[in-house]
Amino acid sequence: MRVLNRKNATFLILLSCLTYSTAYVARLCYGANLISIRGDFGIDQAIAGTVSSFYFFSYAAGQLINAFIAKYCNPKYTVTFALIVSALCNLGIGLSPTVEPMKYIWLVNGLAQSMLWCNILNIQSRFLSGKDISRCIIWNCLTYSIGTFVSYGVSAMLNALGVSWRVVFYFAFSLAFTVALAWFFGVRRTEYAFHHDGAVLEEEPETKKESVSDTPTKKISLFTPYFIFVFIFACVGAACSVFIRDGVVTWLPSILKNDFGVPESLSILLTMILPEISLGGAFLVKGMKKRLRSHLFLECLLFLVAAVSVFLIVLLYPQKNTVLTLFFFAVMYLMVCGIVNVTTSLIPFSIRKYGNVGSISALLDACCYAGAVLSTYAFGAIADHSGWMAVIKIAALVALISSGIVLVGSVLAKRTPLTKEIL
């Protein structure tokens, strides 16, 4: 199999990291400035959360579409187009006179951003060797940390300086537009290198263990009825993990400000620290994967630790101890980021030899953001009626129930070689 050499593979990995980190900046600016937007327009938490829900709904719907069309798309053009549209949407939010047009602008942003992840994974799967994909998974996980650090960091800095929240969206527009052009010319360079002197032949590793791919002359059908049945458990785990993750990241600044008395700029900075833990989630999963072959059982353990962490937050909440509360939020976040890493990288790349990586990643990503659709609006609405304690209790229950669901899936996955190898 012909793949990029080490130098050009590193270039593609870093380019992909830059591009998807920028995509996160272009989608997280709204959440990072939620408090300021609410104050500026005088809206409650449920209405403010509706804008994010519009984004998450269109993103999830777009991923379902991209699951079927991604293999026909050229990532060089698709990613460039999507990032430019996302840039224009950020400009539109910055110019919006009221919250009403924001819903539809962010809906378009969701559709545009749904084109990115599956196409980036497709180009990585096409050009990278197995060893480089292992490196790539770590860098892919880092994108959320970088994007959150930039979007929340710039927002906190401008908020502290008394600068309007609209400037953050103008910054996101400029960054996304520039990186879109960098992606186009960077992929063109990669394609040239691949077809000339920048590629090598990758030797297929010898394996002693029996695999469903041991008979290359017979094409394996990935989407068998039983595979789809077990795959549903992975989809539920994906939805629940992001339900918890995005709900916490979106509303944690409000929790810290309203219930702990933390100033707005500081609450944004403290929230910005959480996603930097996500890289630790990638290394945690990498270490656990050496001992646990089952992706779903790995998710089960991570969900269980997340549930315990959130239940401890519930017990400590009346004491209003900011340090301990943030510590257990961080532990929970580490676990959930590990689950998201399994969902969006390990499982898709594990089907590389059987089918289209982008299609599986798009389906799982759609499930992730289906959970995000529910969490952003639901957490805001519940907080309006019952307070933030109720929100945290629901997050704990979701984590505990999810642990049981993916445990059942891991048991069922052992019944066939295909599901055992992938799930």
Side-chain angles (χ1 to χ4, degrees):
M1 179 180 175
R2 189 175 171 84
V3 294
L4 290 172
N5 60 24
R6 181 81 173 184
K7 176 184 174 181
N8 288 294
T10 300
F11 175 82
L12 178 59
I13 291 170
L14 294 178
L15 178 64
S16 300
C17 181
L18 170 66
T19 303
Y20 209 65
S21 296
T22 300
Y24 271 120
V25 173
R27 78 173 67 164
L28 293 175
C29 282
Y30 181 81
N33 292 276
L34 198 55
I35 297 174
S36 297
I37 293 171
R38 281 182 56 213
D40 201 4
F41 292 131
I43 55 178
D44 62 24
Q45 289 163 150
I47 293 175
T50 303
V51 177
S52 293
S53 293
F54 268 63
Y55 170 90
F56 293 138
F57 173 79
S58 63
Y59 186 96
Q63 286 286 28
L64 291 176
I65 296 170
N66 281 290
F68 298 100
I69 68 172
K71 62 182 178 181
Y72 304 111
C73 299
N74 185 329
K76 178 171 65 178
Y77 300 110
T78 307
V79 172
T80 302
F81 170 76
L83 207 51
I84 288 175
V85 172
S86 184
L88 293 173
C89 288
N90 276 266
L91 179 62
I93 290 287
L95 298 172
S96 294
T98 65
V99 74
E100 191 62 27
M102 288 184 174
K103 299 176 184 177
Y104 305 102
I105 293 171
W106 229 223
L107 183 141
V108 174
N109 191 27
L111 287 172
Q113 293 238 355
S114 70
M115 303 179 191
L116 295 171
W117 182 245
C118 55
N119 280 286
I120 289 174
L121 254 63
N122 269 345
I123 201 169
Q124 291 172 345
S125 176
R126 178 187 173 194
F127 289 133
L128 299 180
S129 66
K131 289 183 179 179
D132 287 325
I133 281 178
S134 296
R135 289 195 298 142
C136 185
I137 288 173
I138 299 296
W139 282 95
N140 285 350
C141 185
L142 191 59
T143 58
Y144 186 66
S145 300
I146 296 172
T148 306
F149 184 85
V150 172
S151 56
Y152 278 78
V154 171
S155 299
M157 180 183 68
L158 294 179
N159 180 272
L161 294 173
V163 179
S164 171
W165 55 267
R166 297 178 186 274
V167 176
V168 180
F169 290 94
Y170 302 150
F171 163 76
F173 160 74
S174 303
L175 179 65
F177 193 88
T178 303
V179 172
L181 297 179
W183 170 266
F184 179 83
F185 291 108
V187 172
R188 190 165 73 171
R189 173 193 178 280
T190 299
E191 290 175 336
Y192 180 86
F194 182 78
H195 293 294
H196 290 80
D197 58 350
V200 295
L201 289 177
E202 179 187 29
E203 294 183 4
E204 293 293 332
E206 294 183 5
T207 171
K208 295 180 181 180
K209 295 182 179 180
E210 186 179 353
S211 169
V212 293
S213 59
D214 286 342
T215 55
T217 56
K218 183 179 179 181
K219 187 176 180 180
I220 300 296
S221 176
L222 182 63
F223 289 101
T224 62
Y226 191 75
F227 178 86
I228 294 171
F229 172 65
V230 181
F231 186 70
I232 290 172
F233 288 86
C235 292
V236 173
C240 292
S241 64
V242 177
F243 178 88
I244 299 168
R245 186 194 72 179
D246 282 25
V248 168
V249 170
T250 300
W251 293 113
L252 188 55
S254 298
I255 294 173
L256 293 174
K257 181 184 178 183
N258 298 340
D259 286 8
F260 290 81
V262 177
E264 181 180 338
S265 59
L266 181 57
S267 70
I268 294 174
L269 278 171
L270 290 173
T271 306
M272 183 182 72
I273 296 171
L274 280 183
E276 305 317 306
I277 300 168
S278 64
L279 184 60
F283 283 108
L284 175 66
V285 166
K286 186 176 181 181
M288 294 178 70
K289 192 68 178 69
K290 294 176 181 178
R291 295 174 173 82
L292 300 171
R293 292 191 61 189
S294 170
H295 292 129
L296 290 178
F297 186 69
L298 177 55
E299 289 186 11
C300 168
L301 296 178
L302 295 173
F303 266 126
L304 193 58
V305 176
V308 171
S309 300
V310 183
F311 276 120
L312 288 172
I313 293 171
V314 173
L315 293 175
L316 293 169
Y317 206 79
Q319 300 176 22
K320 297 296 185 287
N321 189 315
T322 306
V323 175
L324 279 178
T325 300
L326 277 173
F327 172 76
F328 286 115
F329 266 127
V331 174
M332 177 275 294
Y333 195 83
L334 177 68
M335 299 301 114
V336 173
C337 284
I339 297 165
V340 174
N341 182 249
V342 173
T343 300
T344 58
S345 291
L346 293 185
I347 293 178
F349 278 127
S350 68
I351 63 102
R352 186 184 184 194
K353 54 191 174 185
Y354 305 122
N356 185 267
V357 171
S359 296
I360 289 291
S361 68
L363 287 172
L364 288 170
D365 219 11
C367 295
C368 286
Y369 281 87
V373 170
L374 295 174
S375 71
T376 308
Y377 176 78
F379 280 8
I382 292 167
D384 283 334
H385 291 89
S386 306
W388 292 111
M389 174 65 87
V391 168
I392 296 170
K393 287 179 179 177
I394 289 173
L397 285 172
V398 170
L400 187 61
I401 293 170
S402 301
S403 178
I405 291 172
V406 294
L407 176 61
V408 172
S410 70
V411 173
L412 295 173
K414 295 178 180 179
R415 298 186 61 182
T416 69
L418 183 65
T419 52
K420 185 176 180 180
E421 183 174 349
I422 296 173
L423 300 172

